Amino acid sequence: MLSRLNQIRLFDRIPLQLFLTLPFLIEMFIIVGVVGWVSIRNGQRAVNQATSKLRQETTARINSNVSELLTISEKINQLTVRTIQQEALDISDVRILEEVYWRYLNTFQTVKGVGVGNRTGDIMGMFQRVDAGQISYFLEYANAETAGNYVSHRLDDAGEIVDAVVVERQIDARDRPWYIAAVEANGPVWTEVYTSVSEVEGHTLAINLSQPVKDAAGELQGVVSVIVDLGQISQFLESIEFSPSGQIYILEADGDLIGSSDGRNPVRVEGESVQRLSASDSQDPLIRASAQYLQKATDHFTQIDQSRQLDIDLQGERHFLQVTPLRTSSQLNWFIVIVAPESDFLAEINAQRRLTLMFCLMAFLVSAGLSYLTSQWVVSPLNRLNQAVRAIAQGDLHQTVQAEHIDELHDLADSFNQMAWQLQMLFGQLRALNQELTRSESRLKEFLEAVPIGVAVHDAAGRLQYINRAGRSLLPSQRLPSSAHPYSQEPITALSQSVASFADLPILQTLAGATVRTDDVDVVVDGRLINLDIVATPILDEQGSVTFVITAFQDITARKRAERQLIHNALHDTLTGLPNRELLNQRLEHALHLAQQPGADQFALLFLDLDRFKVVNDSLGHLVGDQLLVKIAGVLTAVVRPEDMVARFGGDEYVVLLEAIADPQAAIAVAERILQTLETPLVLNDRAVVITTSIGIILDTKSYQSPSDLLRDADIAMYEAKANGKSRYEIFTPGMRSTAAQRLHLENDLRHGLERGELRLVYQPIVALDTGTLMGCEALMRWRHSSLGEISPADFIPIAEESGLITTLSTWMLRSVCVQLAEWEARFPEQALPKISVNLSAKDIHEALPAALADLLATTGVSPALLTLEITESVLIYRVPETIAVLEALKQLGVSLSIDDFGTGYSSLNYLYRLPVDYLKVDQSFIQRMGQRGRNYRIIETIITLSDQLQLAAIAEGIETAEQLLVLRTLGCELGQGYYFSRPVSAEQVAALLTSGRLILP
């Protein structure tokens, strides 16, 4: 038996201490494992029994509550029908049930609404709604006396009418789904669950129970209906204390949610669209996973006709699940689902289990400790003897071992001490013989160690014999080979990083008898690449054979690095580290060359220019601008593939070269990713900055012959993107070349148009909305081109802003308005003149503006009170304190200030109350699409309310209809302008109005 054990490798070198303690430890481990297993089995059985009972009780409670909620609706309809039949009520007048429905709403708090429709189409409903904890009642009807309108009364707690709203809308009860369903069913019927939308209560689910009403002859008189707010089910489910992380929900057989305990509304809202939410699409992961499991396991609930309890794995954890049909009505195919993780119920049992295992573990540790101490008492003397033997093997002969109290160990120690004394005598004699040889060799080594360059000596077989201090620092000895092929396994490479052949290495050439000098050897040492300059010389004997090779080498890595850095700097941008224009041209030439080859892959070019980068530079400083350029470089590099190139072309322009793309759509996808990524604000010096870019794309690159043509057309496409609204991309087409030329001509013509007097001003009246009295005018610029005719401001104003001409145009406009006002003051000295509003761009708001305007007012003699300066919200994005200081200085001159296009920019309400402004102008985009109490209506109402709170006058732009005027008057807007009152008119037409004294428009 012992011989067989010796054949097993495990027993060849097992430590004695382990041999003594291991069997006992294995025995204790088995005992602890059995106790833990029994504890786990008993705990699991107890949890299964407890959770089964809890699920059944919870299901019964839910079934009872939901049944009660739905049964109340059935009782209300039965009471209503019985009341109509017993009291012989004539529901041709639907309002006859007002008192009955009022009692129902005050008696049954779970009912949110009741309604009735008769066979002539008249309809009446009574509802209760909760707003901020307050219950409001509403009576709504449409019958013959409302003349085709729909009337809604708000009632107080006593049922008295508080206010009324009349809506011009035709409503026929016979077209309502609940009416149609009751007539078709010829009896009580539940409608489909639908989404209910309320501005007060939000989006929720509801269901109607409808029942036809017939006279004694069986003729249909009408239909009564009860509205059940299913949101109450979610509130009830959320109140049930079942499991810390479990969920309860009710759903239909098609998988749509009725209610759930996760506190979320079981509907999906996408813009103005509201749809029901499927349980398998729920935001709660437990509801979503369990619903998906049930739909697959029960074939969409078709296999569930009674309560079923399941134990399943969800999300990598065991869960208890119960699904039960809701038996309230045969028409409703609803199911109650309860799901909870097993871990919620195992907490206390796990604690007891851990306590049991802890006691077992303590017993195991105590036993292991006693076993260890016993083995240590035996093994320690043997270990000391072993250490002494190892020390002698390493050359330390002065070793003695203390005799132990165990007889066998005492004899072993004595024998060892005698052997050690004999070895000391023998090695002392040998040491004296070696000392003399050592002294002679040390003098030569001292000389070589002092040499500042590396020196190595190899014998004729190529084995390393010596390397000095400088050599060891360059090439650590543990990395140097000592075989006949000393560098065959070493990482020596050429500059191309390819492995050098053994025959090309300096040591091999020198062993053949040649003297070698090279500075083109790269060696990887400790993961670092160093460049070596090597001189290898052979030492020959009398027969001319190589006996030794002396190699001198030094590190020239710094020199090589400097050479590479010079090359890198010549081809890369110093700020961003991206390839510069020179390297980009080289890559483009290479890509164009490859594109001409048969079967070559496509490539695409993206030309980017940051939008409004000059605003960042001017407002936050050039240092922040440089930081932004570096950030953008990082964003672009992260978006593209490693094999693509991102280059800085100059200023705030970047070029992206996409090589080997599968199809043109790949380049478009990159452009869209860039635009999407830049929607996220970039943080610069603790300030969030939103920067966008315009992108020009070249897809058909095979037709190009030179990089300059590629870059030219990509630049044209980029400017086309800027002209079309910025923050977008445009794909180059040949027609864009002519468009770019036209834009350039238009810019040049605009520069000369001002000198030739082609620009003029027109004035759009601003009136008081309550009286129609002319209160002011907005000065607008028009351009009649000498050959092209009238050019829209939408075409030439963006060109002026892009080219910097906008400042010149603003100065001309201010001067022209002041001159015109001075003329009118002289012509109409006794008449109150209208204020003139002048639009200023963001570039016009600077520290020198107040002084320049003061000089202009003094020169023309115009009263500052007649001048209003309009600024857009965009001037408040950057340098807010400086902008406010400029506006306050303008205000001190006596001019009025107005925020133009309010609501479309990015201004912060934190600064709005600090601005010294007089007017807020509501942008015409809100006026044109405000509708009847729609989203834009609410925005306008909010802006007007905000202006009232800040004691500012609100001016509505773009009023074109009497209906818009009526709504704005109702909201309390003071001033307005638009085609409804007057189109922009000339200065002569304004003077004619002042002369006639007819200042009421239209």
Side-chain angles (χ1 to χ4, degrees):
M1 181 66 180
L2 184 60
S3 61
R4 293 185 61 187
L5 287 176
N6 289 334
Q7 295 175 1
I8 302 176
R9 181 64 179 172
L10 177 62
F11 290 94
D12 279 353
R13 294 292 302 277
I14 184 170
L16 177 61
Q17 191 169 5
L18 180 62
F19 183 80
L20 295 175
T21 59
L22 185 60
F24 183 75
L25 294 179
I26 292 175
E27 179 183 353
M28 291 301 299
F29 181 79
I30 293 174
I31 294 174
V32 171
V34 171
V35 171
W37 179 80
V38 171
S39 174
I40 292 173
R41 288 295 301 274
N42 292 338
Q44 187 68 53
R45 187 178 298 110
V47 168
N48 291 341
Q49 294 174 354
T51 56
S52 176
K53 181 178 181 181
L54 180 60
R55 282 180 281 175
Q56 293 174 357
E57 293 175 350
T58 304
T59 300
R61 180 183 174 190
I62 296 172
N63 206 333
S64 173
N65 182 275
V66 176
S67 298
E68 180 182 354
L69 176 66
L70 300 179
T71 302
I72 289 175
S73 302
E74 297 176 354
K75 292 181 179 179
I76 290 176
N77 275 347
Q78 293 171 1
L79 289 173
T80 304
V81 173
R82 189 180 303 123
T83 300
I84 294 172
Q85 293 174 347
Q86 291 177 352
E87 299 181 11
L89 299 180
D90 183 7
I91 63 173
S92 60
D93 179 9
V94 293
R95 298 191 60 184
I96 198 170
L97 294 177
E98 287 183 15
E99 183 178 350
V100 175
Y101 280 173
W102 175 255
R103 291 199 304 271
Y104 290 166
L105 290 183
N106 283 273
T107 302
F108 304 102
Q109 298 300 318
T110 59
V111 175
K112 298 302 180 181
V114 290
V116 61
N118 61 25
R119 59 188 175 187
T120 63
D122 295 344
I123 188 171
M124 188 271 289
M126 189 169 292
F127 313 93
Q128 61 171 318
R129 296 169 183 160
V130 180
D131 182 10
Q134 298 294 323
I135 300 178
S136 300
Y137 299 93
F138 294 87
L139 170 64
E140 300 179 355
Y141 59 88
N143 55 16
E145 69 182 46
T146 64
N149 296 325
Y150 188 74
V151 179
S152 176
H153 296 296
R154 185 164 63 88
L155 309 178
D156 59 15
D157 294 340
E160 299 298 328
I161 297 175
V162 177
D163 56 32
V165 176
V166 178
V167 181
E168 295 182 3
R169 184 174 62 180
Q170 294 288 341
I171 296 181
D172 192 325
R174 295 168 296 183
D175 297 331
R176 310 305 291 177
W178 51 267
Y179 191 101
I180 296 172
V183 172
E184 291 178 351
N186 196 26
V189 61
W190 288 99
T191 66
E192 297 288 337
V193 177
Y194 59 90
T195 57
S196 174
V197 182
S198 168
E199 294 180 358
V200 176
E201 299 173 331
H203 306 290
T204 184
L205 298 180
I207 189 172
N208 286 41
L209 177 63
S210 304
Q211 181 173 342
V213 180
K214 298 183 179 180
D215 57 17
E219 294 295 326
L220 180 69
Q221 289 184 283
V223 174
V224 294
S225 178
V226 178
I227 302 174
V228 180
D229 179 11
L230 298 182
Q232 302 173 82
I233 294 179
S234 293
Q235 295 174 1
F236 171 69
L237 296 180
E238 190 175 357
S239 67
I240 295 177
E241 296 182 358
F242 170 70
S243 164
S245 56
Q247 294 292 349
I248 307 174
Y249 59 97
I250 300 176
L251 75 168
E252 294 185 283
D254 60 2
D256 286 342
L257 278 174
I258 299 298
S260 63
S261 62
D262 65 349
R264 297 185 176 93
N265 210 342
V267 296
R268 180 188 289 110
V269 180
E270 298 177 352
E272 297 183 357
S273 172
V274 182
Q275 300 177 356
R276 294 192 59 189
L277 181 65
S278 172
S280 59
D281 295 330
S282 171
Q283 297 181 21
D284 184 86
L286 189 55
I287 294 178
R288 181 172 63 251
S290 60
Q292 292 173 353
Y293 171 83
L294 285 173
Q295 286 184 335
K296 293 180 180 179
T298 64
D299 193 15
H300 297 276
F301 300 95
T302 58
Q303 301 176 7
I304 298 179
D305 54 1
Q306 61 183 357
S307 180
R308 293 178 60 182
Q309 292 189 350
L310 304 170
D311 294 343
I312 61 175
D313 286 333
L314 294 177
Q315 303 169 344
E317 183 180 359
R318 185 169 181 259
H319 284 70
F320 300 119
L321 186 144
Q322 177 166 319
V323 55
T324 306
L326 188 65
R327 301 301 188 186
T328 300
S329 170
S330 61
Q331 299 176 9
L332 300 178
N333 196 12
W334 295 0
F335 299 89
I336 304 171
V337 180
I338 300 177
V339 59
E342 182 187 46
S343 59
D344 285 355
F345 306 95
L346 287 177
E348 184 175 352
I349 293 177
N350 285 336
Q352 295 296 328
R353 183 189 306 161
R354 286 192 296 270
L355 183 60
T356 302
L357 294 178
M358 185 179 299
F359 282 120
C360 294
L361 181 60
M362 290 176 61
F364 175 78
L365 293 177
V366 170
S367 301
L370 293 175
S371 175
Y372 173 79
L373 292 176
T374 302
S375 62
Q376 186 71 15
W377 184 68
V378 175
V379 174
S380 292
L382 295 177
N383 285 337
R384 288 196 293 272
L385 179 61
N386 183 43
Q387 293 173 1
V389 172
R390 290 178 180 272
I392 290 177
Q394 295 175 2
D396 185 4
L397 303 179
H398 299 281
Q399 299 293 324
T400 57
V401 177
Q402 184 179 358
E404 298 294 334
H405 48 272
I406 301 176
D407 292 340
E408 291 82 355
L409 296 179
H410 184 278
D411 294 340
L412 184 61
D414 286 343
S415 299
F416 174 81
N417 292 335
Q418 293 176 13
M419 179 190 69
W421 181 79
Q422 292 291 336
L423 289 175
Q424 292 175 20
M425 296 293 294
L426 294 174
F427 275 91
Q429 298 172 6
L430 183 61
R431 189 178 297 110
L433 295 175
N434 287 333
Q435 286 178 352
E436 181 61 29
L437 179 61
T438 302
R439 282 193 293 271
S440 62
E441 290 180 350
S442 65
R443 287 190 289 271
L444 176 60
K445 288 184 178 180
E446 288 175 0
F447 170 74
L448 293 176
E449 291 294 313
V451 176
I453 64 174
V455 177
V457 178
H458 293 77
D459 62 16
R463 290 186 292 265
L464 179 65
Q465 300 299 315
Y466 169 77
I467 185 170
N468 69 346
R469 184 186 297 111
R472 291 193 299 273
S473 66
L474 287 176
L475 305 173
S477 59
Q478 65 270 23
R479 297 186 61 85
L480 291 177
S482 58
S483 65
H485 299 287
Y487 288 91
S488 59
Q489 301 299 322
E490 286 297 301
I492 299 180
T493 63
L495 285 175
S496 63
Q497 299 296 305
S498 61
V499 179
S501 65
F502 182 69
D504 293 334
L505 298 178
I507 181 65
L508 268 300
Q509 299 175 32
T510 309
L511 287 174
T515 298
V516 178
R517 172 70 183 267
T518 180
D519 64 350
D520 197 21
V521 175
D522 294 348
V523 181
V524 177
V525 177
D526 294 333
R528 183 174 62 93
L529 180 69
I530 64 174
N531 311 111
L532 295 180
D533 182 5
I534 297 177
V535 178
T537 303
I539 303 298
L540 307 177
D541 59 12
E542 293 79 359
Q543 290 77 29
S545 300
V546 177
T547 57
F548 292 98
V549 173
I550 298 179
T551 305
F553 53 92
Q554 58 181 332
D555 184 1
I556 58 171
T557 305
R559 189 186 79 189
K560 292 287 187 177
R561 186 184 301 116
E563 294 173 355
R564 290 192 293 269
Q565 187 63 43
L566 289 175
I567 297 174
H568 180 276
N569 292 344
L571 298 175
H572 290 77
D573 176 51
T574 57
L575 176 62
T576 62
L578 294 177
N580 60 13
R581 189 178 302 189
E582 177 63 28
L583 184 53
L584 173 65
N585 282 328
Q586 294 179 15
R587 282 285 295 271
L588 287 177
E589 289 178 355
H590 179 67
L592 288 172
H593 174 71
L594 292 180
Q596 307 304 320
Q597 308 303 317
D601 292 327
Q602 302 181 60
F603 75 93
L605 191 70
L606 279 63
F607 197 104
L608 295 79
D609 184 88
L610 302 183
D611 302 324
R612 301 172 58 255
F613 175 73
K614 190 174 186 303
V615 175
V616 177
N617 250 355
D618 294 343
S619 58
L620 302 181
H622 289 278
L623 180 59
V624 176
D626 288 346
Q627 295 175 1
L628 177 59
L629 292 175
V630 174
K631 285 262 189 180
I632 294 297
V635 168
L636 297 179
T637 303
V639 167
V640 302
R641 303 170 300 176
E643 62 266 28
D644 298 327
M645 170 182 275
V646 177
R648 184 184 178 198
F649 195 70
D652 59 343
E653 296 176 332
Y654 298 84
V655 174
V656 178
L657 174 60
L658 305 174
E659 295 192 86
I661 59 175
D663 54 65
Q665 192 63 36
I668 296 175
V670 171
E672 291 175 346
R673 287 201 303 272
I674 293 172
L675 295 174
Q676 182 180 4
T677 303
L678 290 181
E679 291 177 358
T680 303
L682 301 175
V683 178
L684 303 174
N685 285 357
D686 298 328
R687 183 190 294 268
V689 176
V690 177
I691 192 77
T692 60
T693 184
S694 300
I695 306 175
I697 305 177
I698 299 289
L699 296 178
D700 183 16
T701 55
K702 290 188 177 180
S703 59
Y704 289 89
Q705 300 297 323
S706 69
S708 60
D709 292 341
L710 265 173
L711 294 170
R712 177 202 62 204
D713 289 348
D715 185 58
I716 290 174
M718 179 273 294
Y719 274 102
E720 187 72 17
K722 281 189 177 292
N724 291 336
K726 301 179 181 179
S727 188
R728 56 180 289 135
Y729 66 84
E730 291 290 343
I731 300 173
F732 175 79
T733 60
M736 288 183 182
R737 292 197 187 103
S738 59
T739 303
Q742 291 174 3
R743 185 165 55 243
L744 181 61
H745 291 317
L746 199 62
E747 178 183 338
N748 292 331
D749 291 346
L750 182 59
R751 295 180 184 275
H752 299 296
L754 186 60
E755 301 171 0
R756 294 194 294 259
E758 295 177 356
L759 298 178
R760 70 185 191 283
L761 295 180
V762 294
Y763 303 87
Q764 183 170 40
I766 299 174
V767 303
L769 297 185
D770 54 348
T771 64
T773 304
L774 177 66
M775 303 299 294
C777 294
E778 181 180 0
L780 303 171
M781 192 177 300
R782 296 292 184 264
W783 181 17
R784 183 183 295 277
H785 193 280
S786 59
S787 59
L788 301 178
E790 287 289 342
I791 297 179
S792 170
D795 294 330
F796 71 82
I797 291 298
I799 293 177
E801 290 180 341
E802 186 177 314
S803 63
L805 280 173
I806 191 65
T807 303
T808 303
L809 294 182
S810 298
T811 302
W812 173 84
M813 191 174 187
L814 269 175
R815 179 170 295 278
S816 299
V817 167
C818 289
V819 171
Q820 185 63 65
L821 284 172
E823 179 185 334
W824 286 341
E825 280 187 310
R827 186 174 175 183
F828 306 102
E830 302 299 328
Q831 191 168 349
L833 297 179
K835 285 188 174 184
I836 304 299
S837 300
V838 178
N839 287 283
L840 297 181
S841 72
K843 297 180 180 179
D844 297 323
I845 308 302
H846 49 77
E847 297 176 353
L849 178 61
L853 182 59
D855 292 341
L856 180 59
L857 293 173
T859 302
T860 58
V862 172
S863 171
L866 295 177
L867 186 62
T868 299
L869 302 181
E870 294 188 5
I871 61 173
T872 60
E873 287 183 274
S874 60
V875 303
L876 300 175
I877 299 178
Y878 307 111
R879 300 183 64 190
V880 176
E882 294 84 352
T883 300
I884 292 177
V886 173
L887 296 181
E888 289 176 344
L890 293 172
K891 187 66 177 176
Q892 291 177 1
L893 296 178
V895 301
S896 300
L897 298 175
S898 173
I899 297 182
D900 195 15
D901 300 334
F902 186 76
T904 64
Y906 308 91
S907 64
S908 170
L909 295 179
N910 182 41
Y911 295 107
L912 187 58
Y913 78 96
R914 295 171 50 190
L915 298 177
V917 297
D918 305 280
Y919 305 98
L920 290 182
K921 298 193 74 172
V922 184
D923 188 68
Q924 62 180 350
S925 62
F926 299 129
I927 305 298
Q928 298 300 325
R929 299 192 299 269
M930 66 180 175
Q932 180 65 30
R933 297 188 179 274
R935 179 179 299 176
N936 285 333
Y937 175 90
R938 295 300 183 192
I939 294 175
I940 296 170
E941 182 182 33
T942 302
I943 294 175
I944 294 174
T945 302
L946 179 62
S947 68
D948 292 340
Q949 293 291 332
L950 298 176
Q951 298 182 352
L952 306 176
I955 304 175
E957 296 181 307
I959 302 174
E960 296 184 355
T961 65
E963 290 76 9
Q964 294 171 350
L965 175 60
L966 178 60
V967 172
L968 290 169
R969 283 177 175 171
T970 304
L971 292 176
C973 185
E974 295 92 339
L975 304 172
Q977 64 186 91
Y979 286 0
Y980 177 78
F981 301 105
S982 172
R983 290 178 175 272
V985 298
S986 65
E988 292 76 11
Q989 290 173 302
V990 175
L993 285 175
L994 296 175
T995 302
S996 65
R998 189 178 66 83
L999 301 180
I1000 304 299
L1001 299 175

